[in-house]
Amino acid sequence: DAGVIQSPRHEVTEMGQEVTLRCKPISGHDYLFWYRQTMMRGLELLIYFNNNVPIDDSGMPEDRFSAKMPNASFSTLKIQPSEPRDSAVYFCASSRDPPGNTIYFGEGSWLTVV
Amino acid sequence: AQSVTQPDIHITVSEGASLELRCNYSYGATPYLFWYVQSPGQGLQLLLKYFSGDTLVQGIKGFEAEFKRSQSSFNLRKPSVHWSDAAEYFCAVGFSGGYNKLIFGAGTRLAVHP
């Protein structure tokens, strides 16, 4: 089975540019999570979806961030406009009904905003 | 509010020595408990999890963890550390009752001396 697939793995962009991160969850998983990891704040949950519907977006830092899940096999996290403080590793994860079922993480998208 | 504390930011052990990484949580009931490992440049991999039953759980790579309700702890142990265990370790908690997300501790970075 393929795991959670994220793209791009690495992105360097200039401040003010739009960034789109993509995620393909594991087939059959109906929960999808977006996490951000930084040295200062550790792992933070940004938003999660259940059956393609956003359930909790309280962790989204501000309006510059948006996430969509148009279908069960694809999700995007968009930052527009990007700022240097958005530099972080963004992880996508998926599971069947958590927390009783394991949440599986992708390898992350390493974003640098200069 | 629910929280997870990993008191040790960095730990260094010699190869072959035993290891214990600490994790404490704050929650009124028994949570779902997890340990994840993150190797440099990689995503998070589940080591083990506890939901109920035997309070000593075995995981992959020779790790085990013990749930102690009286201490609100879920410490990770390994009797003999290998150099390849050098990584960052995250304790996480999940909660039942429709609260489907995981809350992560700040992580403990493990260094292994030859």
Side-chain angles (χ1 to χ4, degrees):
Chain A
D1 266 350
V4 176
I5 299 172
Q6 293 187 244
S7 64
R9 286 296 316 278
H10 299 271
E11 177 146 355
V12 179
T13 191
E14 291 185 346
M15 182 174 61
Q17 296 298 306
E18 178 180 293
V19 174
T20 300
L21 308 178
R22 298 173 178 81
C23 175
K24 176 179 170 58
I26 294 172
S27 178
H29 285 189
D30 51 0
Y31 282 80
L32 184 139
F33 305 83
W34 282 100
Y35 281 88
R36 179 172 67 175
Q37 185 179 37
T38 61
M39 290 290 292
M40 293 298 297
R41 301 174 67 92
L43 270 163
E44 305 172 275
L45 178 66
L46 300 178
I47 185 171
Y48 78 92
F49 296 82
N50 177 217
N51 292 323
N52 313 336
V53 176
I55 303 299
D56 183 350
D57 65 355
S58 60
M60 295 286 263
E62 48 196 279
D63 291 347
R64 297 185 297 106
F65 286 70
S66 62
K68 294 182 179 179
M69 193 165 186
N71 57 62
S73 58
F74 183 66
S75 176
T76 59
L77 178 67
K78 189 172 293 187
I79 308 171
Q80 167 61 20
S82 58
E83 297 181 3
R85 60 193 170 117
D86 302 329
S87 298
V89 184
Y90 292 83
F91 287 103
C92 179
S94 73
S95 77
R96 293 189 175 91
D97 190 26
N101 291 292
T102 300
I103 296 178
Y104 293 88
F105 283 76
E107 295 194 326
S109 291
W110 300 68
L111 174 64
T112 302
V113 183
V114 298
Chain B
Q2 303 92 346
S3 66
V4 182
T5 302
Q6 293 182 246
D8 305 304
I9 298 174
H10 292 280
I11 284 184
T12 300
V13 299
S14 298
E15 191 168 18
S18 63
L19 172 69
E20 182 168 26
L21 303 182
R22 297 182 288 164
C23 174
N24 294 94
Y25 66 89
S26 172
Y27 181 57
T30 300
Y32 296 76
L33 296 161
F34 306 81
W35 275 99
Y36 281 82
V37 60
Q38 184 181 27
S39 298
Q42 301 296 313
L44 280 74
Q45 180 184 23
L46 181 70
L47 283 176
L48 47 78
K49 58 188 178 183
Y50 172 79
F51 297 157
S52 64
D54 192 348
T55 57
L56 183 64
V57 294
Q58 303 297 320
I60 63 171
K61 304 185 181 187
F63 285 91
E64 66 177 26
E66 185 173 12
F67 169 59
K68 292 186 177 180
R69 183 189 308 274
S70 61
Q71 298 176 17
S72 297
S73 70
F74 188 57
N75 293 350
L76 181 71
R77 301 194 295 248
K78 187 170 185 177
S80 177
V81 171
H82 188 262
W83 64 267
S84 61
D85 293 325
E88 188 149 21
Y89 292 80
F90 293 91
C91 181
V93 296
F95 308 95
S96 58
Y99 190 77
N100 301 99
K101 55 191 181 185
L102 293 187
I103 296 175
F104 283 85
T108 298
R109 185 170 298 276
L110 174 67
V112 180
H113 280 329

